[in-house]
Amino acid sequence: MPVTSVTKDPENLTMNITADFAAPLPRVWDAYLDARKIEQFWGPPGYPATFLRHDGIPGGVSRYYMTGPEGEQYHGRWDWSEVVEHKFFEVIDSFADAEGTLNPDLPSTRMVFSFDPAGDGSRITVTAHFASVEALEQLLAMGMEEGTRQAMGQIDAILADLRSFSRGEGTTVQLIGESQARVSRVVRGSREAVWNAFEDPALMKQWSLGPDGWSMPVCDIATEIGQDYRFEWEREDGSERFGFTGTLLERNHPAYMVTTEKMIGTEGPEVRNELTLTQLDEGTLISYLGTYPSAEVREQILATGMADGMEIGYQRLEKLLQEV
């Protein structure tokens, strides 16, 4: 087991958990920052986690749930306070409902995750700061210590999977629940540069094109909450044209934005898209979480080859970022 010590200090209302790993510090850091990786270990055995949002910046939010053996779901939320890359991050860890609203009947905990070199490997120290003795006792009685031990005991297997840390995976699709899908890919380039490529029309017209033979004559980007955007693509021979429009609902530069999406000129359903950009050691993780009206609509949209088209675009984006 990687956990080497657990120290509880009721007088100072803290608990420290230290764990050592035989992996470079950037890889251990990325295991926590990458939503695809942290959800492989954050829930203890038998209670896998699903992260719906994972910003990783001050002022950001993480929303997740753990699914029990009988299908029951336990929702949680992190509110990110401070982040120093490869050093530490601080969050407020809270119980929540399915919409991410805090549960006022259960205590929140300030959590500091510190990352340090340790010989040829890395060390994580997790310090939990409790609001009161009652909160400490309540959370320990609920299994917080043992759950954290078990969760951290699963990290070694993820760190040993070198393929999961390679950027050659391409665009992947993960079905979540009844009506959501997450499309994600790591692109070489900084988060700031990738964010700019999503908000600069001149850049977006160069990479967001899908297969060869298409252009993007309309690229009206929304940069303020409440603004509408409009994107249109056209075959170079003019034989076909389509587009999408929607509204910018949330924006947290340079990590998170939420938009609605509907195909222009159709009565088709509206989709809610959450874009998260996470800075990793190998580049920027681009993650789209789409919420669809139903499983049937989700299947229909994914069947159009959406992920394949996004992969072509991301390849162009990666090349563009190396040239800029």
Side-chain angles (χ1 to χ4, degrees):
M1 293 288 287
V3 174
T4 56
S5 69
V6 178
T7 305
K8 295 183 283 290
D9 185 348
E11 182 176 347
N12 290 306
L13 302 178
T14 62
M15 178 176 70
N16 287 323
I17 299 179
T18 301
D20 291 329
F21 301 95
L25 193 148
R27 184 176 298 167
V28 178
W29 174 269
D30 283 359
Y32 274 87
L33 270 289
D34 187 334
R36 304 167 304 170
K37 296 180 176 65
I38 191 174
E39 66 183 13
Q40 295 180 54
F41 69 82
W42 184 247
Y47 292 80
T50 301
F51 274 72
L52 302 174
R53 178 177 175 182
H54 197 48
D55 291 2
I57 64 169
V61 172
S62 295
R63 289 177 46 220
Y64 67 91
Y65 62 86
M66 293 178 285
T67 303
E70 303 301 322
E72 67 275 25
Q73 293 184 353
Y74 305 93
H75 291 261
R77 170 181 172 134
W78 287 359
D79 288 272
W80 292 73
S81 307
E82 191 172 357
V83 181
V84 178
E85 188 176 12
H86 296 168
K87 296 293 185 181
F88 77 92
F89 64 83
E90 179 181 315
V91 300
I92 304 298
D93 185 16
S94 307
F95 296 87
D97 62 18
E99 303 303 319
T101 303
L102 301 187
N103 183 342
D105 298 325
L106 292 171
S108 297
T109 309
R110 181 166 66 92
M111 308 284 289
V112 180
F113 296 77
S114 300
F115 298 75
D116 297 287
D120 294 331
S122 306
R123 173 169 295 167
I124 300 176
T125 303
V126 182
T127 304
H129 298 264
F130 302 94
S132 65
V133 172
E134 293 74 20
L136 183 155
E137 292 176 345
Q138 181 180 7
L139 291 171
L140 290 180
M142 294 172 66
M144 178 179 181
E145 177 185 344
E146 184 58 27
T148 303
R149 280 179 175 271
Q150 292 179 340
M152 297 184 79
Q154 301 175 106
I155 299 177
D156 271 338
I158 298 161
L159 296 175
D161 182 5
L162 297 179
R163 291 187 61 189
S164 72
F165 283 86
S166 70
R167 67 174 73 95
E169 293 180 354
T171 300
T172 59
V173 179
Q174 175 189 359
L175 301 184
I176 297 176
E178 294 294 327
S179 59
Q180 292 182 308
R182 183 170 67 197
V183 182
S184 55
R185 190 188 196 276
V186 175
V187 170
R188 286 174 292 178
S190 70
R191 175 166 51 191
E192 188 70 39
V194 173
W195 179 276
N196 186 50
F198 275 91
E199 289 203 332
D200 185 331
L203 293 176
M204 196 168 186
K205 285 184 175 184
Q206 296 180 59
W207 69 266
S208 184
L209 298 175
D212 291 337
W214 288 80
S215 64
M216 192 179 188
V218 178
C219 185
D220 298 330
I221 294 174
T223 57
E224 296 183 9
I225 294 175
Q227 282 186 341
D228 292 334
Y229 70 88
R230 187 182 182 94
F231 302 147
E232 295 185 31
W233 293 267
E234 184 177 54
R235 284 193 182 276
E236 292 177 351
D237 61 7
S239 62
E240 189 176 354
R241 186 169 179 143
F242 74 97
F244 294 96
T245 187
T247 303
L248 178 62
L249 303 180
E250 293 185 48
R251 181 182 182 275
N252 186 11
H253 171 270
Y256 182 74
M257 70 171 70
V258 182
T259 57
T260 60
E261 179 185 283
K262 188 172 183 178
M263 182 170 280
I264 297 169
T266 72
E267 297 300 321
E270 186 174 80
V271 177
R272 174 187 169 94
N273 286 322
E274 298 179 53
L275 170 67
T276 303
L277 303 183
T278 306
Q279 184 68 62
L280 304 177
D281 188 57
E282 57 184 340
T284 298
L285 171 63
I286 303 174
S287 177
Y288 266 109
L289 178 69
T291 301
Y292 303 89
S294 66
E296 291 75 19
V297 172
R298 177 179 68 182
E299 183 178 348
Q300 291 170 5
I301 293 178
L302 292 178
T304 64
M306 177 185 75
D308 292 337
M310 293 173 73
E311 170 62 20
I312 295 171
Y314 290 152
Q315 290 177 12
R316 290 196 184 98
L317 173 58
E318 204 166 46
K319 182 179 179 181
L320 178 63
L321 292 177
Q322 303 312 306
E323 295 173 349
V324 172

